[in-house]
């Protein structure tokens, strides 16, 4: 059961369509989401990523016009973590909003580290897309 959540966001000087097109392509994850993936490979309809937690399976929301980048991450132990992510239009710019949910057994320090990792990943996304 989720006991707490926090929202991390970054504004990017690119349209929501541009950000969504890049961020929704799982093959791009290793370039900007080091907290999730150092490599990623498609196996059938699943994506397998080498992550800091070990090999994980990543399942993404279907392509959509609403900027929904939600994804499930199945951890090596079999637990699945749901990650809500949105790309929100703001004129010629956009905001990427990631909700981090604190899972049972995750300490306050680990939760803060998760937030720091997501913040770093979103900053990398911003740097890549604004370059």
């Amino acid at each position: 059961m989720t006991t707490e959540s926090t929202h991390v966001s970054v504004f990017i000087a690119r349209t929501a369509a541009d950000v969504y097109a890049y961020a929704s392509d799982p093959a791009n994850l290793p370039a900007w989401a080091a907290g999730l993936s150092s490599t990623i490979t498609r196996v059938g309809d699943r994506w397998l990523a080498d992550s800091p937690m070990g090999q994980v399976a990543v399942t993404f929301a279907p392509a959509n016009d609403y900027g929904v980048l939600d994804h499930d991450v199945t951890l090596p132990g079999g637990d699945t973590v749901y990650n809500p992510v949105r790309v929100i239009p703001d004129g010629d710019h956009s905001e990427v909003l990631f909700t981090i949910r604190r899972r049972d057994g995750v300490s306050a320090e680990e939760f803060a580290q998760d937030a720091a990792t997501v913040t770093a990943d979103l900053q990398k996304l911003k740097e890549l897309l604004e370059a």
Side-chain angles (χ1 to χ4, degrees):
M1 170 181 259
T2 301
T3 59
E4 180 181 357
S5 64
T6 190
H7 305 285
V8 176
S9 71
V10 64
F11 282 88
I12 300 177
R14 295 283 296 269
T15 67
D18 288 346
V19 173
Y20 180 82
Y22 183 82
S24 67
D25 183 348
N28 292 329
L29 282 173
W32 67 272
L36 175 61
S37 170
S38 59
T39 65
I40 193 162
T41 306
R42 187 174 187 144
V43 178
D45 62 347
R46 297 176 45 178
W47 290 88
L48 300 179
D50 292 320
S51 80
M53 302 160 281
Q55 188 175 66
V56 297
V58 186
T59 306
F60 297 89
N64 61 84
D65 295 329
Y66 302 105
V68 175
L69 291 173
D70 293 6
H71 56 282
D72 288 330
V73 177
T74 303
L75 303 174
D79 290 339
T80 298
V81 179
Y82 168 62
N83 298 285
V85 184
R86 302 292 184 274
V87 179
I88 303 165
D90 185 22
D92 290 337
H93 297 78
S94 59
E95 179 182 16
V96 178
L97 176 67
F98 193 117
T99 299
I100 305 162
R101 293 184 167 166
R102 184 171 172 185
R103 295 175 290 121
D104 287 341
V106 172
S107 70
E109 294 78 22
E110 291 168 321
F111 187 57
Q113 182 57 50
D114 287 348
T117 299
V118 170
T119 299
D121 287 351
L122 293 182
Q123 281 300 125
K124 182 63 177 179
L125 179 64
K126 174 182 176 72
E127 290 171 18
L128 286 169
L129 290 173
E130 290 183 353

